[in-house]
Amino acid sequence: MILKSSFGGGVGGVADKKFQVWLEENSRGITFVYDYGIPVTSATVGIAKLTNDFQIITTATHTSSIAVLNDNNTAWPGAQRKYQFIPPSTYDLVFQQSQGLLGIVILQIKP
């Protein structure tokens, strides 16, 4: 089963971003699916358990890293872009929505 949650947001109540988070029950996969959007000032795309245990995306190049933290993305990923993460089975997943100025969603992974 896949739980799909849609999110949108923007600055000043203008809906200029739309994306989904898919949580996959069997594989424990987490997929971010992007739709329309404009460049952002600064954003992080990825999952993290601790400051030294993460999977982070650089949106300009669509590359992933477990060694270099990138929390300064300014490029919108692009319509229909998907980033998928499969957390280790030792991760305890807790989904928590946090609507900020940029419509950010936080998926916490508890130690």
Side-chain angles (χ1 to χ4, degrees):
M1 177 179 283
I2 298 175
L3 171 66
K4 297 180 179 180
S5 295
S6 296
F7 300 91
V11 178
V14 177
D16 58 10
K17 294 165 192 59
K18 184 177 177 184
F19 62 98
Q20 293 183 332
V21 176
W22 299 356
L23 303 176
E24 302 167 39
E25 184 177 20
N26 292 336
S27 70
R28 294 173 39 96
I30 302 161
T31 305
F32 298 155
V33 182
Y34 290 85
D35 198 348
Y36 62 82
I38 62 171
V40 295
T41 307
S42 176
T44 303
V45 176
I47 61 173
K49 181 175 179 181
L50 302 168
T51 57
N52 61 350
D53 188 0
F54 54 81
Q55 298 174 35
I56 296 295
I57 300 292
T58 297
T59 57
T61 58
H62 310 295
T63 55
S64 173
S65 178
I66 59 171
V68 178
L69 183 62
N70 180 2
D71 59 0
N72 194 27
N73 284 300
T74 57
W76 185 254
Q80 303 307 309
R81 173 69 62 184
K82 295 180 184 178
Y83 299 123
Q84 184 175 38
F85 307 92
I86 306 292
S89 60
T90 56
Y91 282 21
D92 180 21
L93 304 179
V94 178
F95 184 74
Q96 190 176 55
Q97 178 181 350
S98 175
Q99 287 293 114
L101 289 177
L102 299 176
I104 303 301
V105 175
I106 297 171
L107 177 67
Q108 286 188 339
I109 301 174
K110 300 282 186 178

